[in-house]
Structures are given as C-alpha cells and as structure tokens.
Amino acid sequence: KLADKVAAAGFYVVAPDFFYGEPFVRDKPDRPFPAWIKDHGPDKGFEDAKLIIDALKSKGVSSIGAAGFCWGGEYHFITRWLKLNLLITSAKVVVELAKVALIQAAVMLHPSFVTVDDIKSVKVPIAILGAENDNLSPPELVKQFDEILKASEVDSFVKIFPKCAHGWAVRYDVNDTIAVSCANEAHQDMLEWLAKYV
C-alpha cells in the first residue's frame, strides 16, 4: 500500500526482496526472531542497499533519498524518473547510508536498532518520525536524537506522533480513522522531506 501511495505521487517503484523469500513470521516457533535476524540483519541489508545504489548510479541516477522503517516487514526501493530516487528500507540501513553519505536525504519512521552513536555520525539531512508508545525507540530516545541533531550542522526534522505505537506508519487498522490520519500525516511528512532534499 505504501509503495502504491508513493507511486501515485509520481514515483516509479521497484521492490527487491531483502529477506530472500523469508520475511519474519511471529508465529513460527522453529524460526524465532533471534535466529531469523542472524540471517537477515540490517548489516546484510546495508550491503544489499549499497549494491542497489551502485546499480542505480550506473544507470545515471544522481540523487537518492532513503526512508526506513523497522526491520522485518515490507521494504521497497522506489525510484522516480528525472534522476530523483527514493529507497525505502529499514531505519538502521537508512542511518548507515546517511553516516557514509551514500544518499542525499534520510527519513526514519518508528526506527529500531538505531543508537545515539548512529545519530552522531549522520552526514545528510534527516527526518525522524517517532511514536509516543514505542518500546523500540521510545520518545525519550527520539528526543535525544533531536538534541544531537540540533547541536550538529545536519538539517533535521523530528516529530513524535501522539497515541501511536511502533509500526503505526505501515501497520494500522484501515477502519480506525485516527490511525489512518496519523499514517497519512507521516507519509506526507516523509514525501515532503525527501522532495526538499533529493
């Protein structure tokens, strides 16, 4: 749905499978998260993302932005004609790309696995959209990210969505008008940030 929404905004969407046909399935007792993440960690996602960025650049792409969500769900590369490109992946992969400036702008929505030290090393404009009820990136951590970024020379935008929980921007009840409104607002913030810098 998110890929379709971004495509409707004029982007061309390509969706590689970062998980090689094995997304995390919570109810699979023989493959708990600690075992699954060993084979599908953000470090591997980062290496895969670099290969795709290289491939895009070899085709003449000159500007790439990245949007990242938690790790374990659906991720898509999204490109737009006219040399404007957007990569949607995990928040940890996005911050790693932002630390080495392989992209021109970054957005993280309900991030996971991202640390204060990661944020200290960001070199490109970054937006962080957090949730009020998030155990993986609680508001206190997101506020630390904001303070670090404000003290740096990197342009940033940090927002915490009230009454939202981890995953609200991609996993929400379409019959819940408040949840839909928050997700739509986050998607719009993401698109505006990337349009500003990519």
Side-chain angles (χ1 to χ4, degrees):
K1 289 180 182 179
L2 180 58
D4 288 344
K5 182 182 279 192
V6 176
F11 291 83
Y12 175 74
V13 180
V14 181
D17 181 2
F18 280 109
F19 303 137
Y20 296 89
E22 189 193 14
F24 176 65
V25 179
R26 188 176 311 278
D27 300 329
K28 201 171 179 184
D30 61 324
R31 196 78 161 125
F33 188 76
W36 180 87
I37 197 72
K38 285 181 183 176
D39 295 330
H40 304 294
D43 54 339
K44 177 148 180 31
F46 175 62
E47 294 304 319
D48 287 345
K50 289 194 305 186
L51 293 173
I52 294 173
I53 288 171
D54 288 345
L56 290 170
K57 288 182 177 178
S58 76
K59 301 288 185 190
V61 170
S62 60
S63 186
I64 299 172
F69 303 81
C70 53
W71 193 249
E74 295 179 31
Y75 304 96
H76 306 276
F77 278 94
I78 297 175
T79 61
R80 186 176 186 175
W81 301 117
L82 305 175
K83 310 279 191 247
L84 176 62
N85 297 277
L86 168 62
L87 159 65
I88 295 186
T89 183
S90 85
K92 181 66 171 182
V93 171
V94 166
V95 80
E96 292 299 324
L97 295 170
K99 286 162 55 175
V100 293
L102 287 177
I103 55 178
Q104 283 64 55
V107 181
M108 296 190 305
L109 298 94
H110 45 78
S112 58
F113 303 124
V114 177
T115 68
V116 165
D117 287 336
D118 288 329
I119 298 300
K120 288 178 181 176
S121 299
V122 167
K123 294 180 171 63
V124 302
I126 186 168
I128 303 171
L129 308 177
E132 181 181 33
N133 304 312
D134 192 336
N135 292 333
L136 295 172
S137 289
E140 298 77 26
L141 180 60
V142 174
K143 288 175 185 172
Q144 278 186 282
F145 293 167
D146 190 28
E147 290 169 11
I148 291 164
L149 291 164
K150 283 181 178 173
S152 77
E153 293 184 15
V154 174
D155 194 14
S156 63
F157 173 75
V158 178
K159 184 177 189 177
I160 297 172
F161 284 73
K163 300 179 183 175
C164 290
H166 186 79
W168 97 95
V170 291
R171 295 188 307 257
Y172 55 90
D173 180 354
V174 296
N175 297 313
D176 181 335
T177 57
I178 294 173
V180 170
S181 175
C182 288
N184 286 338
E185 183 179 341
H187 299 163
Q188 189 61 39
D189 288 342
M190 173 188 74
L191 289 170
E192 288 175 7
W193 184 258
L194 292 164
K196 181 177 179 181
Y197 287 102
V198 177

